[in-house]
Amino acid sequence: MCPFMQFIEGGRRYQCGFCNCVNDVPPFYFQHLDHIGRRLDHYEKPELSLGSYEYVATLDYCRKSKPPNPPAFIFMIDVSYSNIKNGLVKLICEELKTMLEKIPKEEQEETSAIRVGFITYNKVLHFFNVKSNLAQPQMMVVTDVGEVFVPLLDGFLVNYQESQSVIHNLLDQIPDMFADSNENETVFAPVIQAGMEALKAADCPGKLFIFHSSLPTAEAPGKLKNRDDKKLVNTDKEKILFQPQTNVYDSLAKDCVAHGCSVTLFLFPSQYVDVASLGLVPQLTGGTLYKYNNFQMHLDRQQFLNDLRNDIEKKIGFDAIMRVRTSTGFRATDFFGGILMNNTTDIEMAAIDCDKAVTVEFKHDDKLSEDSGALIQCAVLYTTISGQRRLRIHNLGLNCSSQLADLYKSCETDALINFFAKSAFKAVLHQPLKVIREILVNQTAHMLACYRKNCASPSAASQLILPDSMKVLPVYMNCLLKNCVLLSRPEISTDERAYQRQLVMTMGVADSQLFFYPQLLPIHTLDVKSTMLPAAVRCSESRLSEEGIFLLANGLHMFLWLGVSSPPELIQGIFNVPSFAHINTDMTLLPEVVNPYSQQLRMVMGIIQQKRPYSMKLTIVKQREQPEMVFRQFLVEDKGLYGGSSYVDFLCCVHKEICQLLN
């Protein structure tokens, strides 16, 4: 039932807006109609008057027709030698003590219904019993990583509030327990398997938080070898680098989704770890992948802790299934996101959180009428954090037009780029990159040529004419073509490319927009009396000036670029040092100076960081120093250092294609 249903015959029957069938209104739902044919209770029923609403689902919509149990969070820490040595294990254990207080709970509840469990691992797994009546946590070791089983049920998943002292005890002991370990080999697939089996045994959905740092080379299912082969780059076999090495992870992901088990992975690699394989389960289960290359405690700690805190606290639903319905004339044909599809209609998600988007492609395959428009309904059945089964429904009614010009007027470039990026990044697994880049250029030229031919007023062929709503499409398209996933660069690792590919697959429109075209703000123009952000400038070297200070952000990275002649009073104000030469470029956090410039800049950085799914690490860059090379890669309107055309060159190229199409 939704606002697009038409009630007729005095309210006894209704006509469906999607299929036009006429059905009887069941007696319990009957209501009289007013003088304009609308039900008298129109404004009292959310499903008749609102575009989005939620129902509590009946038992028919629950597994085995019984109410679900509240979900669980399982924390799984890699305690191999390198993680102990660099202090990571100690850091994670320390922080979990405060972060577990923040596990999400329903607004009206005192405490969270989510239970927690703990596992540590290297090439074997250690389960911990943290039952509230124990004086000390108990460890159980599982050495059979080929066939993982859960050695205990009672006492593994517990309520944090009840078992707090035992859990704190455990978190204090873990770093010491493994302090003398020199075990370098790790397993990975069995870790996920163990977490999933534990959730299955407890008959609840949930989320695994895995903290992992190396290629899993120990003898076990999902064992990987180093296959980082630069010789494949720029050949037709390059796609192999983006595909998982073994099918273990694919079938593991399917099992996880079937049991409502979502996997979030925090990676701390110091060398190749095969992100294309390890990241597959997080991607297909609606989890998140975070990656901190060459993690150094003093530099990367804050970024990691911000990410971990946000991830634990974010709004999330579990064990979800989504359907997209349309009125006749068009249909949903393709879906992109942290999803799994076992058939053509059910979109399955082990979890969905507030930072994930699902992009849907529709195909127009029959007549649409201007009178009735086109209807879309998206329904998601999911389990809340308190274990309630709910159905969330979104309805959308779109206008139809027989005029192409109307279509171009209301086009959304940023949504288009999100879609083109996802379809290109999906194709990377099967097609040569050169072919994908050509297709993107062709599609851009076709869209613009069609406008030129059918909508624009006649003009000289030498003119490039773009519709107002698509003025920035070529800029964004060029950024997508230059992204390291589609165009390899010698200084970017295979893992980094696989990582960026995965991030984009679940990004929402605003995040993908910033990711492909970063925000560049002139900080030297900051008005310390105002809370407004300075107006962004175009991402090109020509916009930088020696006297200027610029902040660049793309959702993953943040750079503060300092011109060689930056105003001394600004440098003093921001860094509390006398001159440009004294600035320490190793810092990843700005000093908290009591000065209007410093406070204003930190506020601006806070605003940009807000609502972004990843914590952006700050890099300080001085003009004409070596690290500037990295910063320049983000000036996306300029020519790339290793190929990739400038915006102006790309416009010329597209214009040439358009002219050929029109001839």
Side-chain angles (χ1 to χ4, degrees), residues 79-92:
V79 288
S80 56
Y81 175 73
S82 62
N83 280 5
I84 294 286
K85 187 164 156 277
N86 68 9
L88 193 60
V89 172
K90 192 171 172 51
L91 177 70
I92 293 166

Side-chain angles (χ1 to χ4, degrees), residues 83-317:
N83 280 5
I84 294 286
K85 187 164 156 277
N86 68 9
L88 193 60
V89 172
K90 192 171 172 51
L91 177 70
I92 293 166
C93 292
E94 273 306 302
E95 291 301 321
L96 281 178
K97 288 194 284 193
T98 52
M99 288 183 190
L100 289 170
E101 301 281 351
K102 298 272 178 39
I103 286 183
K105 57 177 194 278
E106 293 291 354
E107 281 166 15
Q108 64 281 8
E109 297 296 330
E110 288 277 303
T111 60
S112 173
I114 296 174
R115 289 174 298 164
V116 296
F118 302 88
I119 290 177
T120 56
Y121 67 93
N122 35 46
K123 64 181 195 190
V124 298
L125 289 91
H126 322 103
F127 286 76
F128 293 96
N129 181 349
V130 282
K131 205 172 171 179
S132 56
N133 57 7
L134 293 174
Q136 282 288 331
Q138 294 168 348
M139 174 161 93
M140 299 188 184
V141 181
V142 173
T143 51
D144 181 2
V145 287
E147 291 287 326
V148 179
F149 67 98
V150 181
L152 78 158
L153 285 181
D154 191 29
F156 177 61
L157 293 178
V158 296
N159 175 301
Y160 171 68
Q161 255 44 47
E162 288 169 14
S163 293
Q164 187 175 1
S165 60
V166 194
I167 290 172
H168 281 216
N169 217 330
L170 169 68
L171 293 170
D172 287 337
Q173 289 175 27
I174 287 175
D176 302 335
M177 231 182 265
F178 301 99
D180 303 328
S181 157
N182 41 18
E183 185 53 72
N184 267 320
E185 285 199 310
T186 56
V187 295
F188 186 71
V191 180
I192 296 174
Q193 185 80 36
M196 183 190 74
E197 295 292 346
L199 293 174
K200 201 160 120 186
D203 196 18
C204 69
K207 176 163 162 175
L208 313 182
F209 292 79
I210 304 180
F211 304 90
H212 187 86
S213 66
S214 58
L215 193 68
T217 52
E219 237 5 277
K223 172 184 175 177
L224 299 174
K225 57 180 193 294
N226 189 335
R227 50 152 190 174
D228 190 13
D229 188 356
K230 286 272 189 263
K231 288 199 287 295
L232 296 179
V233 173
N234 291 327
T235 69
D236 286 356
K237 288 191 172 158
E238 190 166 359
K239 57 182 179 231
I240 296 170
L241 298 173
F242 293 103
Q243 297 166 353
Q245 235 183 90
T246 129
N247 53 15
V248 168
Y249 292 103
D250 194 49
S251 56
L252 188 54
K254 288 190 170 121
D255 286 349
C256 283
V257 174
H259 295 102
C261 167
S262 171
V263 178
T264 280
L265 175 58
F266 292 85
L267 266 183
F268 305 89
S270 53
Q271 56 212 47
Y272 177 75
V273 289
D274 199 349
V275 170
S277 299
L278 300 188
L280 190 67
V281 183
Q283 181 175 351
L284 295 177
T285 60
T288 311
L289 175 59
Y290 299 91
K291 183 161 80 73
Y292 311 92
N293 298 340
N294 302 314
F295 182 85
Q296 286 176 282
M297 191 60 78
H298 62 294
L299 296 179
D300 303 299
R301 178 193 156 148
Q302 206 45 55
Q303 183 193 11
F304 160 57
L305 293 182
N306 291 346
D307 282 337
L308 178 57
R309 186 172 301 117
N310 287 342
D311 208 284
I312 287 178
E313 295 175 22
K314 67 169 65 162
K315 287 188 161 43
I316 185 168

Side-chain angles (χ1 to χ4, degrees), residues 549-609:
I549 296 180
F550 291 82
L551 183 71
L552 182 142
N554 79 336
L556 287 187
H557 307 279
M558 204 178 261
F559 293 92
L560 191 62
W561 182 91
L562 308 159
V564 283
S565 316
S566 305
E569 69 277 12
L570 267 178
I571 285 182
Q572 176 69 49
I574 296 168
F575 296 100
N576 205 14
V577 294
S579 74
F580 183 79
H582 289 84
I583 297 170
N584 169 15
T585 53
D586 283 346
M587 63 171 98
T588 56
L589 289 173
L590 289 183
E592 300 202 4
V593 188
V594 185
N595 171 291
Y597 286 122
S598 169
Q599 286 163 333
Q600 191 74 2
L601 174 54
R602 283 181 288 127
M603 185 198 75
V604 166
M605 288 164 66
I607 291 170
I608 294 174
Q609 178 61 65

